[in-house]
Amino acid sequence: MEYRPLGRTGVQVSPLCLGAMMFGPWGNKDTADSIRIIHHALDAGINFIDTADVYSGGASEEIVGQALEARRDDVFLATKFFMPMSEDPNQRGGSRRWIIREVENSLRRLNTDYIDLYQVHRPSPDTDVAETLGALTDLVRQGKVRYIGSSSHSGSQIVEAQWASRARNLERFVTEQPPYSILVRGIEEDILPTAQRHGMGTLTYSPLSGGWLSGRWRKDSASAPASPARPSARFDMSSPANQRKLDIVEDLAQLAEQNGLTLIELAIAFVINHPGVTGAIVGPRTMEQLESYLPAADLKLGADVLDRIDRLVAPGVTINPDDNSYGAHELTAHARRR
């Protein structure tokens, strides 16, 4: 597996990042099996793992910590904070108070003395970004965190954070983690070029678009997934946007077959073939799923294949706006004066 530079950090990481969201009660409840999957990913050349405090209520971090007990120095380890960890309104967000407390919880669960990349899971309209950056800067200077990053930040929020870092001599976000897939291409218009201009690495999540590009849902067997964790608007098969996605998936499946690929391989290779993408986060629940992802790491898609994909989904277009993670606050009725 050919490694890539993580922005301008000098760190080299694999083009596939092992996402740990499905390890624990949210997905694979068998801890021993989850550890086997992690070890297999490392043996296959993946040197990058991403998790978050909120995944399975902390269980994901604990499983990753157990798996890395004898291999910690071989892995670039990333985790995230921000999402609610209890009903307490102060156990969430980007405040200094919460960051300083929660990093200790993550270090304990991960069974490590340091976190390579500590990321704020979402931007906060209620917290000055300088407060978040200031707390994270202290953690870097204390040696508890090596680098800091953002997730699901808009282009303007990325620029604001970079400006605040320079103006106040604070650590800067060296990565951004946005959603990106053939069906969700909105970041090509603004997020990716903005991150590139600021020398940031981009770690994209959901390259299979929540399972849409895994072959799980096709026109002849379309049904909404039963999991309550999945937003209904994204999987309402009666909506025009999702009907359009089903049509595109059929065409993509044919394109993949014509080129000797699986739909999964085509989808992941598309993401990591973008020059602005450092790596794609893949989140297997089973060993079989991991095995289906690995071949994509070494695939190079030809111009003819990429052109065909562009005709199906134009660059910068997200077929169903509900698949985006941007604008949730800005587009609420309250924010629009209603």
Side-chain angles (χ1 to χ4, degrees):
M1 198 173 293
E2 187 175 342
Y3 292 171
R4 301 173 169 192
L6 183 68
R8 295 175 184 161
T9 65
V11 173
Q12 298 286 317
V13 294
S14 51
L16 297 184
C17 173
L18 182 66
M21 187 174 73
M22 300 307 293
F23 300 146
W26 286 12
N28 190 336
K29 300 178 183 178
D30 186 333
T31 296
D33 188 49
S34 296
I35 290 174
R36 282 191 292 270
I37 294 170
I38 294 171
H39 287 169
H40 186 65
L42 301 183
D43 292 340
I46 292 177
N47 73 340
F48 195 179
I49 296 178
D50 176 78
T51 185
D53 56 359
V54 74
Y55 295 164
S56 289
S60 171
E61 287 187 327
E62 292 175 350
I63 291 170
V64 170
Q66 292 179 50
L68 298 184
E69 187 171 356
R71 308 180 69 167
R72 175 65 185 91
D73 291 340
D74 300 329
V75 173
F76 190 83
L77 179 58
T79 192
K80 299 181 287 291
F81 68 91
F82 185 85
M83 300 302 191
M85 291 299 286
S86 78
E87 296 299 320
D88 185 338
N90 288 315
Q91 292 190 15
R92 66 191 70 183
S95 71
R96 167 177 287 274
R97 183 179 189 274
W98 177 237
I99 293 170
I100 298 301
R101 176 178 174 182
E102 183 61 357
V103 72
E104 300 296 340
N105 294 330
S106 285
L107 288 168
R108 172 180 47 80
R109 288 188 293 257
L110 289 166
N111 191 31
T112 185
D113 295 328
Y114 67 97
I115 295 166
D116 290 296
L117 178 64
Y118 202 37
Q119 305 156 100
V120 55
H121 214 146
R122 290 291 188 273
S124 173
D126 303 319
T127 307
D128 190 332
V129 68
E131 175 172 343
T132 300
L133 289 167
L136 293 172
T137 296
D138 288 345
L139 296 182
V140 172
R141 291 172 180 171
Q142 292 166 13
K144 296 177 180 179
V145 169
R146 299 291 191 258
Y147 301 99
I148 61 173
S150 58
S151 176
S152 294
H153 280 50
S154 68
S156 64
Q157 289 165 335
I158 291 172
V159 172
E160 179 186 12
Q162 294 290 323
W163 177 87
S165 295
R166 288 172 171 80
R168 305 193 184 198
N169 195 30
L170 301 172
E171 290 291 320
R172 72 183 190 94
F173 291 141
V174 301
T175 58
E176 163 60 14
Q177 187 177 132
Y180 184 45
S181 72
I182 294 175
L183 300 176
V184 183
R185 301 184 62 175
I187 69 169
E188 292 174 336
E189 186 173 15
D190 187 24
I191 308 301
L192 283 175
T194 299
Q196 285 179 285
R197 285 197 301 273
H198 288 280
M200 300 171 70
T202 304
L203 316 171
T204 63
Y205 67 85
S206 202
L208 301 181
S209 200
W212 280 90
L213 297 174
S214 69
R216 179 177 180 184
W217 300 294
R218 303 288 290 273
K219 293 202 72 172
D220 58 355
S221 61
S223 61
S227 171
R230 296 186 182 278
S232 58
R234 296 184 59 196
F235 297 92
D236 178 1
M237 298 304 176
S238 67
S239 76
N242 287 337
Q243 284 292 310
R244 174 62 180 142
K245 283 161 67 173
L246 288 173
D247 290 334
I248 293 170
V249 168
E250 292 299 317
D251 290 335
L252 290 171
Q254 293 180 22
L255 178 62
E257 184 176 358
Q258 292 165 4
N259 287 272
L261 304 173
T262 66
L263 178 58
I264 288 174
E265 291 167 354
L266 176 71
I268 296 175
F270 168 83
V271 169
I272 61 178
N273 270 229
H274 193 292
V277 172
T278 304
I281 299 173
V282 293
R285 179 177 53 83
T286 67
M287 187 73 76
E288 181 182 18
Q289 289 176 346
L290 174 62
E291 291 283 8
S292 71
Y293 305 155
L294 291 173
D298 300 314
L299 291 177
K300 303 294 182 184
L301 300 182
D304 56 334
V305 174
L306 294 172
D307 288 343
R308 177 70 185 280
I309 292 173
D310 286 349
R311 288 195 291 273
L312 292 172
V313 182
V317 169
T318 294
I319 301 300
N320 184 350
D322 288 311
D323 290 331
N324 278 322
S325 61
Y326 302 97
H329 169 74
E330 291 81 1
L331 298 181
T332 61
H334 175 72
R336 291 183 287 118
R337 305 181 304 281
R338 293 204 293 276

